[in-house]
Amino acid sequence: MEKADVMGIMQAIPYLTRMPVNHMWIDYDREADVLYLTFSKEPADDTEIGDDDILFRYKGEALVGITIIRASQRLKG
């Protein structure tokens, strides 16, 4: 990992720390180009497909995760 990579991560901190969750797990599957944001250890029981192939994962009424397809093609830095 290069210093520039770390600086990119640092730019995301204000957005990540404003998330209304106590815990967050982030996984990126480079081969599939899918970014997973998980907010709960509870598995989802429903999925809503939003705009631009973003999946919102729910356990009851609670948002427990977001899946972003084609993640590397989103915002270019």
Side-chain angles (χ1 to χ4, degrees):
M1 182 177 292
E2 301 292 325
K3 186 174 181 178
D5 297 324
V6 174
M7 295 310 294
I9 293 167
M10 299 295 288
Q11 291 175 354
I13 289 174
Y15 302 103
L16 296 173
T17 57
R18 283 195 298 257
M19 297 289 293
V21 297
N22 292 327
H23 300 289
M24 182 183 338
W25 295 266
I26 301 172
D27 293 301
Y28 176 60
D29 182 333
R30 187 176 308 276
E31 186 174 325
D33 194 18
V34 176
L35 179 67
Y36 303 94
L37 303 172
T38 305
F39 312 126
S40 172
K41 292 181 181 181
E42 292 290 321
D45 58 18
D46 193 19
T47 301
E48 177 182 308
I49 301 172
D51 295 338
D52 298 327
D53 293 330
I54 298 175
L55 298 112
F56 297 90
R57 311 277 295 155
Y58 293 92
K59 174 73 173 185
E61 297 292 317
L63 181 67
V64 296
I66 299 172
T67 302
I68 303 170
I69 300 169
R70 295 186 313 276
S72 70
Q73 299 174 28
R74 300 299 170 152
L75 299 176
K76 295 291 182 180

